[in-house]
Amino acid sequence: MKLYDTQSRGLKEVNVEKEEVRMYCCGPTVYRDAHVGNLRTFLLSDLIARIVRLNGSQPRLIQNITDVGHMSEDFINDDKMLSQAKLEKVDPFEIARKYEQRFHTDLAALNVQPATAYPRASESIEMMLSLISRLIDAGFAYVGSDSSVYFSAEKFKSYGAISGNKLDALKPGHRYEYTEDGAKRFHADWALWKAAGDRTEMVWDSPWGKGFPGWHIECSAMSMKLLDGHVDIHVGGIDLRFPHHENERAQSNALINKEAVDLWVHGEHLLFEGKKMSKSSGNVVLLSDVIARGIDPLALRLCFLENKYRSQMDLTWNAIEAANETLKRWRTKMGHWSTDDSISIDPEIEQAFNADVDTPRVVMRLREIEKDDSHNKAAVFRYADQVLALDLNRPIEERVLTPEMKTLLEDRALARNEKRWADSDALRVELENLGLSIKDTPEGQIWS
RNA sequence: GGUCGGGUGGCCGAGAGGCGAGGCAAGGGACUGCAAAUCCCUCUACACGGGUUCAAAUCCCGUCCCGACCUCCA
């Protein structure tokens, strides 16, 4: 099984001979609903975990819940949790729990299997404090004049290996003016622990005074602790490559003096109708929007699967609806092909999964099999569905008919027997208005 | 300015040296009382300029264009 590793910029073999493959996926900051772009990344870790399992190994997946400390480095008022709490006029932890719950609901709707654990940042403070202390002791971190603790980027020799951003190229002020307060010794240093200052909510005691953790430290702490000091596969969105993962790598590696992560996998961003999804473009799509249109959430999953995870994909309503049709067609055909639940391995599909999660090729292969004359189509589809997880075996739901619908259907059958076509057509319109779609076959009318 | 990735038909998108993926849309046909569904057919592309090669969408050089990241982001 091979995956593209951002750090070495090439395909890298994943050892699936081991009993267990340790995975870490950067989770959500729970201050708002995850949009479908966020979900695409979480889907990626699900696909990798499923492929690991297909190869006979067990994934141990840790996904953090950021419920504290995710803020821009230099502006204390910008904490995402606190500003949203202010906006909704509730306790910040209430916000966190609410959106955390919705995150799990969305994942379940997309058939994303739950991670082994979802540690919360706010409940992992001890872990982070101990890690920060060790980094200070090892000489990689220092307490600034503002009582915050900073990581010293220059002390970590291979800084920049993931993103290609070298320290001397990271001069401050490229994007917007920095307000250097002088507490950091070097412009590229970042906070491991932020002193509370005026802040009173979401603060904890520490050896350096009241404060709260920096964003990057939580992933180092959780992955080191919950994955026993080594990550086989680290998954996240492409935007996290820098600075988040670069900093996480520096922290973790500094601590153990070797590579803490074998493979860095980054999912590309999703565009919606040509533009990056953002509040200002007004094109943020939530999974609930998809469901509200009467589309199966798994159609979105199929839509994602039809594109390489490493390409910026442009999602459109048209594409989602097309995927929804494909899904319905496959489920209908599955019902006709066979009713058992046998599974038959297709070498081409197996190979595609193992070749850097090439789900577009798998989908293509399924379309091919759909049309050919093989006898075990359903068994091959079921094999692929172990990873695709599109519930292809799910029977098309039987429509529950109201008495009114039943009467109209009986009337129409009668009208058709008597070749009263005008009546038949009028009844069809009426039934369609009730939400049934009618098809006439040589065996009579059918509805769905 | 630095870094990473792209440019393929009306649209979306695979392919990474050798017989024209596939999907969507459109048009035509079969079937049907008509629809719908289904099936068949049609439309045939690789940003530009050089180079390497028997052979280039694919490799190399140059140019143009697009997106992402550069201390908020999946």
Side-chain angles (χ1 to χ4, degrees):
Chain A
M1 168 178 183
K2 284 186 174 134
L3 290 172
Y4 184 88
D5 171 42
T6 307
Q7 190 176 325
S8 59
R9 308 201 203 301
L11 292 181
K12 210 169 168 180
E13 191 69 38
V14 177
N15 182 1
V16 286
E17 302 302 313
K18 298 188 298 180
E19 257 178 56
E20 184 178 74
V21 172
R22 288 175 272 180
M23 296 178 59
Y24 189 89
C25 178
C26 285
T29 303
V30 283
Y31 69 106
R32 53 149 204 214
D33 281 310
H35 57 60
V36 294
N38 303 122
L39 296 176
R40 188 185 182 205
T41 304
F42 305 144
L43 172 66
L44 173 60
S45 75
D46 183 56
L47 293 172
I48 295 173
R50 286 173 182 271
I51 294 168
V52 165
R53 199 169 285 123
L54 198 68
N55 278 285
S57 185
Q58 277 303 315
R60 173 156 45 131
L61 172 63
I62 304 299
Q63 186 165 35
N64 63 304
I65 303 288
T66 302
D67 57 357
V68 64
H70 193 169
M71 54 185 306
S72 74
E73 290 283 309
D74 296 286
F75 305 97
I76 220 153
N77 295 325
D78 268 357
D79 187 291
K80 290 170 182 299
M81 299 302 314
L82 294 183
S83 38
Q84 186 65 25
K86 215 180 227 175
L87 203 72
E88 296 193 26
K89 296 195 171 72
V90 292
D91 183 81
F93 282 108
E94 210 173 301
I95 294 292
R97 297 303 167 257
K98 170 176 152 188
Y99 289 109
E100 184 181 334
Q101 189 47 52
R102 292 209 200 165
F103 158 74
H104 290 301
T105 308
D106 283 348
L107 290 193
L110 277 182
N111 262 354
V112 170
Q113 291 175 333
T116 313
Y118 292 103
R120 291 171 180 150
S122 66
E123 291 167 3
S124 312
I125 302 292
E126 286 303 316
M127 235 186 254
M128 296 190 238
L129 289 177
S130 108
L131 203 144
I132 295 168
S133 295
R134 286 164 62 198
L135 284 172
I136 294 175
D137 293 346
F140 284 99
Y142 60 90
V143 182
S145 56
D146 58 353
S147 295
S148 293
V149 182
Y150 296 97
F151 189 96
S152 181
E154 291 167 299
K155 292 271 168 63
F156 185 69
K157 290 190 306 293
S158 64
Y159 191 84
I162 299 176
S163 62
N165 287 328
K166 299 297 182 211
L167 284 175
D168 53 358
L170 285 173
K171 300 224 168 74
H174 269 309
R175 204 174 184 194
Y176 50 79
E177 285 308 311
Y178 241 0
T179 46
E180 278 290 354
D181 54 12
K184 288 198 262 185
R185 291 179 191 162
F186 182 66
H187 62 84
D189 293 352
W190 65 91
L192 300 173
W193 184 261
K194 293 288 284 185
D198 297 336
R199 179 162 148 170
T200 54
E201 290 176 292
M202 289 184 148
V203 292
W204 288 263
D205 287 322
S206 86
W208 317 283
K210 269 199 189 316
F212 53 95
W215 174 38
H216 313 302
I217 195 70
E218 72 177 88
C219 290
S220 285
M222 292 171 177
S223 60
M224 292 291 95
K225 174 93 176 173
L226 299 170
L227 292 175
D228 307 322
H230 185 80
V231 183
D232 293 314
I233 306 171
H234 194 304
V235 183
I238 188 71
D239 53 304
L240 296 183
R241 180 183 44 184
F242 185 87
H244 184 59
H245 289 161
E246 201 67 74
N247 294 0
E248 180 186 333
R249 173 173 175 271
Q251 294 159 3
S252 303
N253 287 10
L255 208 69
I256 59 173
N257 200 28
K258 59 181 177 192
E259 289 288 346
V261 174
D262 257 356
L263 236 154
W264 293 93
V265 178
H266 288 108
E268 252 298 352
H269 271 168
L270 178 71
L271 308 180
F272 195 82
E273 304 197 321
K275 282 190 206 145
K276 183 172 169 176
M277 227 181 266
S278 68
K279 269 186 189 156
S280 55
S281 310
N283 63 349
V284 171
V285 177
L286 307 179
L287 191 62
S288 53
D289 296 325
V290 174
I291 295 168
R293 289 199 177 211
I295 298 172
D296 188 327
L298 294 180
L300 183 69
R301 187 171 170 120
L302 174 56
C303 226
F304 287 157
L305 293 170
E306 287 185 274
N307 291 71
K308 271 247 184 83
Y309 77 88
R310 283 198 286 129
S311 73
Q312 273 171 31
M313 106 173 241
D314 187 16
L315 189 67
T316 59
W317 281 118
N318 200 23
I320 302 173
E321 273 155 18
N324 199 37
E325 291 307 308
T326 302
L327 200 55
K328 279 199 245 174
R329 189 181 74 236
W330 280 352
R331 285 181 184 152
T332 308
K333 289 194 174 177
M334 285 289 280
H336 297 319
W337 288 336
S338 102
T339 49
D340 63 31
D341 29 292
S342 61
I343 282 178
S344 142
I345 296 175
D346 182 81
E348 205 172 316
I349 290 175
E350 183 179 36
Q351 202 185 359
F353 280 139
N354 285 328
D356 198 25
V357 196
D358 196 351
T359 53
R361 214 169 92 211
V362 173
V363 173
M364 183 177 90
R365 175 75 181 136
L366 288 181
R367 289 185 198 278
E368 203 178 290
I369 290 169
E370 180 187 356
K371 286 183 182 163
D372 73 17
D373 296 323
S374 63
H375 291 294
N376 53 356
K377 294 181 196 208
V380 172
F381 269 63
R382 260 181 238 111
Y383 170 70
D385 208 32
Q386 294 176 325
V387 175
L388 304 185
L390 297 169
D391 286 359
L392 296 179
N393 237 6
R394 185 202 290 170
I396 292 289
E397 282 173 36
E398 284 286 321
R399 285 296 297 241
V400 180
L401 296 179
T402 61
E404 185 190 5
M405 289 173 176
K406 280 186 188 159
T407 312
L408 290 172
L409 282 168
E410 282 162 18
D411 290 353
R412 184 161 184 276
L414 193 68
R416 292 184 56 72
N417 272 338
E418 296 170 3
K419 297 197 191 298
R420 285 183 282 112
W421 305 125
D423 291 346
S424 160
D425 293 352
L427 285 163
R428 180 168 62 207
V429 170
E430 259 188 87
L431 283 159
E432 281 171 349
N433 288 341
L434 291 172
L436 281 191
S437 70
I438 307 294
K439 293 172 195 171
D440 291 316
T441 70
E443 289 79 37
Q445 59 185 358
I446 57 170
W447 58 89
S448 60

